[in-house]
Amino acid sequence: MAVALGMDAFSLGIGIGLKGIRLRDVLRISGIIALFHVLMPLGGIYAGHFVSGLLGHVATMAAGVLLLLLGGHMIYNSLKGESAQSMDYRSSVGTFLFAFSVSIDSFSVGVTLGMFKADILLTVLLFGFFGGLMSVLGLLLGRRVSENLGGYGEALGGAILLIFGLLFIF
């Protein structure tokens, strides 16, 4: 389950990496994603049996809308060129939004796990480890590919985020 949740971080990391990212930022963003992958399911586990039905759907919809906005913004900026200000994933707000969007499904899974007698410490540590690892791999892969795509990397990354946003919603 931890690997499956980390796949979101991997896939979306490719989209962000396509925009171009420094190695130091890869490590910082991945560390924050790992932290979110620990905190979000932990919060979900504790909220577990109270709001499981409603929260799973609402959380998925919120993540989808957020990804649509981020992806649309990236595509818009790639078409406008240098004149449009881009969402800076290195900023605190940009990093928070990205980490939140890839970790919100961990909260939903945590809600479900809260109804069972899961080993909380092991569960959240595995979620954090694989969320961080998969985001590093995705960001690095996107970074590598962006070197070959040039200016089209940001548009492709935005399209990936847009597609995932639509998949989350529908």
Side-chain angles (χ1 to χ4, degrees):
M1 192 178 300
V3 172
L5 289 173
M7 289 306 290
D8 279 348
F10 175 77
S11 302
L12 298 174
I14 292 172
I16 297 300
L18 284 169
K19 187 175 178 180
I21 191 166
R22 296 182 311 184
L23 186 57
R24 186 182 79 175
D25 292 327
V26 167
L27 297 175
R28 185 179 62 77
I29 290 171
S30 296
I32 292 171
I33 288 172
L35 179 64
F36 268 71
H37 268 76
V38 168
L39 297 177
M40 295 295 277
L42 192 59
I45 286 171
Y46 288 118
H49 53 16
F50 295 115
V51 287
S52 64
L54 172 66
L55 199 53
H57 178 66
V58 171
T60 303
M61 290 293 287
V65 169
L66 183 59
L67 291 174
L68 283 174
L69 292 173
L70 293 174
H73 185 66
M74 283 177 67
I75 292 171
Y76 173 78
N77 287 331
S78 70
L79 296 175
K80 280 299 199 182
E82 297 300 317
S83 63
Q85 184 177 356
S86 176
M87 168 69 85
D88 185 8
Y89 294 99
R90 294 172 296 195
S91 72
S92 298
V93 172
T95 301
F96 174 81
L97 288 175
F98 180 61
F100 181 76
S101 69
V102 300
S103 302
I104 196 155
D105 57 342
S106 299
F107 184 84
S108 301
V109 170
V111 169
T112 305
L113 290 175
M115 293 185 259
F116 301 105
K117 300 285 185 201
D119 182 354
I120 295 174
L121 181 62
L122 178 63
T123 301
V124 297
L125 289 178
L126 285 173
F127 283 8
F129 173 76
F130 282 105
L133 176 66
M134 299 299 280
S135 65
V136 165
L137 295 175
L139 289 165
L140 289 177
L141 178 60
R143 179 179 180 226
R144 169 76 82 175
V145 171
S146 75
E147 295 169 358
N148 298 327
L149 290 177
Y152 298 106
E154 185 173 3
L156 182 58
I160 290 171
L161 294 181
L162 250 167
I163 290 168
F164 274 95
L166 290 172
L167 291 174
F168 275 30
I169 292 173
F170 301 107

